[in-house]
Amino acid sequence: MQQYLILRAIPFALSALLVTACGDDGGPATGDASVVTDAAPSTDASSAAQALVEQLDLPCCLAIQDQTIYWVNQGTMTGSVQSVPLAGGTPATLASDLDFPISIAVDSTKVYWGDPLTTEILWVPKAGGTPTPLFDEAAPWGLVIDQDWVYWADGDAIKKVAKTGGTPVTLVPALDTTLYLTTDGDHVYYTDEGTGEVARVAVGGGTPDRIASAQAFPQEIAVDSQNVYWHNRDSGTTMKAPLAGGEATPVVTNLASPAGIWVDQDMLYYCL
């Protein structure tokens, strides 16, 4: 049976990222992932990524806070929300028996996720407990938060609602197929699978700025202080583009169905 993993790539300071996947026998999968460096691809096995958690049920959509990584397991009708310290350990289950959790975000007290089957945005205390609906009729796929707002993508628009509830506000209407987004507090960044574009819009709304175009089915997206990162699902490549503008370049190549992405000061995290 295929094993699914959450992986941590090697530090950016080494200017190279490598991932490996587990095959049906639990060993390295056929076809190692490529290493992308400042110079040329390498196959240095010492640069391999570290598997943080293994044998998961379709993990996707990562969030990290206070040295803990949170994710959803996407098994239909058996979905769950889990966490584990970045240092490793036994995963904690925060919510279980979920319909179809497909996004996750974390603040100082709560873990939020969206469920497009139930059309709900829900939350649970970081220690776990009974899920509480925040908003219904949302059809949320990608979901992110800031201090006051919850933002989500429902396929053809990006919307937001106050954490205290209320009436949703549409930030970007009339998109093609936008399912994933992230925020740096000033902008909401998103991908559009239908048009192959990566773009951003101010959290208060306005005209979107295009970051990249002609991408191969761009999906999950993350941002740090300098770059935007996203998975191109069709090419199995993780890309990045500078916030200041410039060409999109590959970070990791030859991935088999990458899912979930998160970036911190030193590391890039993703699921296989």
Side-chain angles (χ1 to χ4, degrees), residues 197-219:
E197 292 185 342
V198 181
R200 71 179 184 181
V201 65
V203 294
T207 302
D209 299 319
R210 185 167 62 188
I211 295 172
S213 60
Q215 298 300 298
F217 210 67
Q219 293 194 327

Side-chain angles (χ1 to χ4, degrees), residues 186-209:
D186 296 320
H187 293 86
V188 174
Y189 299 78
Y190 59 94
T191 57
D192 193 320
E193 299 172 7
T195 64
E197 292 185 342
V198 181
R200 71 179 184 181
V201 65
V203 294
T207 302
D209 299 319

Side-chain angles (χ1 to χ4, degrees), residues 6-20 33-38 40 42-52 224 229 240 251-252 255 262-270:
I6 293 176
L7 295 160
R8 175 167 59 193
I10 63 173
F12 291 151
L14 297 182
S15 300
L17 297 173
L18 172 69
V19 298
T20 56
S34 299
V35 180
V36 178
T37 70
D38 286 342
S42 169
T43 55
D44 181 3
S46 65
S47 298
Q50 174 187 356
L52 296 180
D224 63 16
Y229 305 80
K240 73 174 182 179
V251 180
V252 189
L255 296 174
W262 188 270
V263 63
D264 61 22
Q265 183 176 355
D266 300 310
M267 311 292 285
L268 179 72
Y269 304 79
Y270 48 89

Side-chain angles (χ1 to χ4, degrees), residues 28-108:
T30 302
D32 291 337
S34 299
V35 180
V36 178
T37 70
D38 286 342
S42 169
T43 55
D44 181 3
S46 65
S47 298
Q50 174 187 356
L52 296 180
V53 191
E54 301 183 60
Q55 298 182 342
L56 298 173
D57 184 12
L58 295 176
C60 77
C61 304
L62 307 177
I64 297 176
Q65 189 182 75
D66 297 332
Q67 296 300 304
T68 299
I69 187 166
Y70 301 82
W71 71 95
V72 295
N73 292 308
Q74 206 176 61
T76 302
M77 305 309 294
T78 58
S80 61
V81 178
Q82 292 188 293
S83 68
V84 73
L86 288 179
T90 301
T93 299
L94 310 182
S96 59
D97 296 323
L98 306 177
D99 289 285
F100 192 55
I102 199 154
S103 53
I104 192 165
V106 184
D107 64 17
S108 60

